[in-house]
Amino acid sequence: MEPYIPSISHIVCMDRKGVIGYNNAMPWHIPEELQYFKKITANSIVIMGNNTYKSIGKPLAKRVNIVVSRAEEPITEETFFRVNSIEEAFVVAEYIASEESRDIFVIGGSSIYEQTFQLVDTLYISVIDINLQHHYKHAMHFADFIYYPIPESIDDFEMTSEQALHTTQEVRNVKVLKYNRIKNKVSF
């Protein structure tokens, strides 16, 4: 029997300029997008930074949760792990994935996305048709909460699906995009 090789994905919700958060929280609440996130990540392993974990407030149900935090003591429980580095997170995630045939999702924040971008096969990106920088002009450090790279600058990926997410909130149109890494692409 061949060992299970998990897919490794980013899943992120952002405005059209790549903003994913403000003051360590998501600056929107769209129930339909949260349901999409729940459906896609169910029964998987989720890796997140400590601020993302604190903004959620508890481990996500029906998932193995791995939190990366240099400031907190490591914890090992059945479905919750706190580790001190991305490298440790992937050692734990890959072991569990191979034992339990689970896929791996990186769910934020911006630093964790940036550190893991070269590892991912798939990007699940929900884009809300708003520009939050117009709403928060007083915010000095929006770049701390931006998903890089934004879809227009993804060269090693191809879009494999795009669909509209129907929401009950009239001001928010949401597009759900899926990108897969192009295999064997030669870059010069």
Side-chain angles (χ1 to χ4, degrees):
M1 182 176 188
E2 291 187 33
Y4 180 76
I5 300 173
S7 68
I8 302 172
S9 304
H10 280 181
I11 187 163
V12 62
C13 183
M14 64 186 197
D15 80 352
R16 64 179 178 254
K17 295 290 186 180
V19 173
I20 62 173
Y22 182 67
N23 287 336
N24 287 325
M26 289 179 69
W28 47 74
H29 179 76
I30 302 173
E32 296 85 358
E33 203 287 324
L34 292 172
Q35 287 300 315
Y36 170 78
F37 172 89
K38 187 176 180 178
K39 176 182 147 195
I40 295 294
T41 63
N43 301 310
S44 69
I45 299 162
V46 292
I47 297 174
M48 68 192 94
N50 199 45
N51 286 339
T52 298
Y53 175 69
K54 286 180 179 177
S55 74
I56 296 168
K58 62 182 180 182
L60 295 172
K62 297 184 182 178
R63 298 162 194 84
V64 173
N65 293 255
I66 302 174
V67 177
V68 179
S69 174
R70 290 182 290 273
E72 305 282 338
E73 289 295 315
I75 294 176
T76 301
E77 295 177 2
E78 187 175 336
T79 61
F80 180 82
F81 300 83
R82 186 178 302 132
V83 297
N84 295 124
S85 69
I86 289 292
E87 294 77 17
E88 286 180 65
F90 274 92
V91 167
V92 172
E94 289 172 351
Y95 175 77
I96 294 168
S98 68
E99 292 293 310
E100 301 179 9
S101 300
R102 294 179 186 242
D103 289 325
I104 301 168
F105 286 88
V106 176
I107 66 169
S110 58
S111 173
I112 302 296
Y113 286 130
E114 187 176 346
Q115 292 176 63
T116 60
F117 186 74
Q118 294 305 317
L119 303 173
V120 300
D121 317 302
T122 307
L123 307 173
Y124 294 89
I125 303 174
S126 296
V127 181
I128 303 169
D129 190 23
I130 56 174
N131 181 351
L132 287 177
Q133 288 179 320
H134 290 293
H135 298 287
Y136 297 108
K137 290 182 182 177
H138 62 282
M140 298 292 289
H141 302 288
F142 244 84
D144 292 343
F145 308 102
I146 291 183
Y147 180 73
Y148 288 109
I150 58 174
E152 293 81 22
S153 65
I154 300 172
D155 294 329
D156 295 339
F157 289 81
E158 65 182 343
M159 187 187 307
T160 57
S161 71
E162 176 180 353
Q163 63 186 36
L165 186 65
H166 300 288
T167 68
T168 56
Q169 299 177 12
E170 78 269 353
V171 295
R172 302 222 169 89
N173 295 319
V174 181
K175 279 194 298 190
V176 178
L177 311 172
K178 181 180 177 185
Y179 292 84
N180 288 330
R181 187 175 293 275
I182 300 168
K183 305 289 184 202
N184 303 319
K185 181 177 180 196
V186 179
S187 300
F188 295 100

